[in-house]
Amino acid sequence: MGRKRGEIGAGIVLALLGGTFAVLSAGQWGGTVLGILLVIGGAALAWHGVRIAIPVLEVEDAEFRYKRGDYIVRIPFSEVGSYYVLPGRTRSLGLCDAAGRPRHFPSTQGRRASRPYLPLTGLTSPEQVHDFMTTAGIPPRDRSLTSGSGTSRHGRA
C-alpha cells in the first residue's frame, strides 16, 4: 500500500472514530474534546495524504521528463540509453546513458547530494514503468555481463 493511500485511509478512519467518540460521550466534556481532537487529527492526516505528489513520466518534444511536485528533470531523449527499476518497498527509476553508465540527478529534497535514481511511489508498479518505457522506445538495462547479442568475446557466434 502506498503512503498516499495509507495516509488518506488512516485519516478518514481516525476522523470517523473521533466523530463517533464525540457523539457517544456527549455528556462528558473530556470525551467530547478527545473526539474533536481525533477528528481534527484525522482531517489533517487525510489532507496531508491528498497533497503528496505522485511522479509523472512524460516523453514530449524529444525530451524525457520526470515531474514530482516542483521537482522536474528534463533530459534530451537522445541521451537516454536504457532504464532500470530498483526493486523494494520504495521503488526508484534509474536512467543510463547510451554507454550504460547511470545518470546522476540532484536530490529531490534540495540537498547538494546527487542520486543515480529518481524516486517513485508505492502506487507506481514496475509493470507501469516498463510499459511506459517500452512505449517510449527506451530499452531496459541489460544486467548480464554479456552484451546479449549472441556473439562470443571473439566476435563468433
Side-chain angles (χ1 to χ4, degrees), residues 56-96:
V56 176
L57 302 175
E58 299 176 327
V59 174
E60 188 177 316
D61 300 331
E63 191 174 67
F64 175 85
R65 292 185 196 145
Y66 168 91
K67 296 180 186 178
R68 185 173 180 190
D70 294 335
Y71 182 77
I72 299 173
V73 172
R74 294 179 173 165
I75 302 170
F77 192 70
S78 59
E79 293 181 15
V80 179
S82 61
Y83 76 95
Y84 58 96
V85 177
L86 296 171
R89 187 169 161 244
T90 305
R91 293 180 195 92
S92 299
L93 172 67
L95 297 176
C96 300

Side-chain angles (χ1 to χ4, degrees), residues 16-36:
L16 291 174
L17 181 68
T20 304
F21 196 72
V23 169
L24 292 178
S25 61
Q28 301 169 341
W29 69 270
T32 305
V33 170
L34 181 60
I36 291 171

Side-chain angles (χ1 to χ4, degrees), residues 4 48-56 67-70 121:
K4 182 176 183 103
H48 186 264
V50 167
R51 296 193 59 205
I52 293 175
I54 296 175
V56 176
K67 296 180 186 178
R68 185 173 180 190
D70 294 335
T121 62

